[in-house]
Amino acid sequence: MLNSKQVAYYNSNGYLTIENVYSASQIKLLSDVTDEFVEKSRLVTEENDMFSLESDHSKDNPRLTRIKTPQNFHSIYKKAVKDEKMLDIIEHFIGKNIRFQGAKLNMKMPQGGRQVEWHTDWGHHPHTNDDMLAVGIALDDITEENGCLMVIPGSHKWDAISHHEDGFFVGAVDINSFDVKKAINITSNAGSISIHHVRTLHGSAPNMSDK
């Protein structure tokens, strides 16, 4: 499914997007289940082991930022993270012995859905082996307007970046420690996947669209 140019691009830049990995029927199933979880969140008033919420979340206006460990709550999510087509792609980068680390379903509600501060996933993992990557499955079309992923190409080859401030872990890097003008917007269609290396510096803006 991948060619040598795509593999070389990932190795050089630390990220890659592949279109049409998940079928329209798979995306509809995932989207329908996700809508069911949004409905369930109407009964939640504070963050729990399933949901992370926007500060203005309410029963009448459910606003989620994340469904935590979705694969533990529904078989459709569990099936998605074990999709053979997706795993075959990952094999090009880390080999056959693929170990699943974890999952989350990030959401950005219309008109201001939360941004993600600049960070590397490596800064959040207590590992010594950085032969790791993250896979994003697009359930909707991802655009600049609705807060697409942004990455700094080649940053996976940098020395580890601190995610601390005044001696405390803050989960993000100092915006002044790199040139944000070099960021690339990763836009794609529903059903695509994005892959980025565990050391790749990335973030995203709020969703300012009405979708």
Side-chain angles (χ1 to χ4, degrees):
M1 183 168 197
L2 293 186
N3 57 49
S4 59
K5 288 185 177 179
Q6 288 173 299
V7 174
Y9 186 92
Y10 172 83
N11 289 333
S12 177
N13 294 282
Y15 71 94
L16 183 69
T17 300
I18 304 102
E19 298 285 352
N20 304 314
V21 177
Y22 287 79
S23 67
S25 59
Q26 286 177 298
I27 294 301
K28 186 177 189 309
L29 279 173
L30 286 162
S31 297
D32 288 347
V33 168
T34 302
D35 288 343
E36 292 174 10
F37 276 90
V38 172
E39 287 302 307
K40 289 179 181 179
S41 77
R42 292 180 185 273
L43 303 177
V44 177
T45 58
E46 60 185 22
E47 182 169 331
N48 58 24
D49 61 353
M50 183 180 292
F51 298 124
S52 292
L53 312 173
E54 295 274 9
S55 59
D56 58 349
H57 170 84
S58 68
K59 180 178 180 180
D60 296 330
N61 184 31
R63 292 181 66 83
L64 306 184
T65 61
R66 179 174 297 161
I67 299 175
K68 305 174 184 178
T69 60
Q71 76 283 358
N72 293 341
F73 297 117
H74 201 288
S75 60
I76 292 297
Y77 292 136
K78 189 172 185 178
K79 187 175 181 180
V81 299
K82 294 184 176 182
D83 182 81
E84 288 296 328
K85 195 173 180 181
M86 183 266 290
L87 293 177
D88 285 346
I89 292 172
I90 295 176
E91 186 179 320
H92 285 275
F93 305 109
I94 57 177
K96 293 179 178 294
N97 297 318
I98 299 170
R99 179 177 177 178
F100 176 72
Q101 178 74 20
K104 57 189 176 183
L105 199 163
N106 289 334
M107 307 177 72
K108 291 189 176 185
M109 296 303 184
Q111 301 300 325
R114 187 182 300 176
Q115 70 184 50
V116 177
E117 300 293 341
W118 285 94
H119 68 284
T120 70
D121 296 336
W122 182 245
H124 296 256
H125 287 306
H127 285 69
T128 55
N129 177 7
D130 69 354
D131 193 15
M132 302 170 66
L133 51 77
V135 179
I137 304 169
L139 301 191
D140 296 298
D141 292 344
I142 301 174
T143 66
E144 291 183 31
E145 188 182 18
N146 66 18
C148 66
L149 176 71
M150 298 183 290
V151 303
I152 302 294
S155 55
H156 65 304
K157 298 180 180 180
W158 297 355
D159 291 337
I161 306 173
S162 174
H163 291 64
H164 290 71
E165 183 176 324
D166 297 328
F168 294 94
F169 180 75
V170 294
V173 305
D174 182 355
I175 193 78
N176 297 311
S177 65
F178 65 97
D179 186 358
V180 72
K181 293 180 181 178
K182 293 183 178 180
I184 299 296
N185 292 309
I186 309 299
T187 59
S188 59
N189 297 320
S192 67
I193 66 171
S194 64
I195 301 175
H196 65 263
H197 190 274
V198 70
R199 285 182 178 267
T200 299
L201 186 59
H202 61 285
S204 65
N207 174 11
M208 302 309 296
S209 76
D210 59 359
K211 298 180 181 179

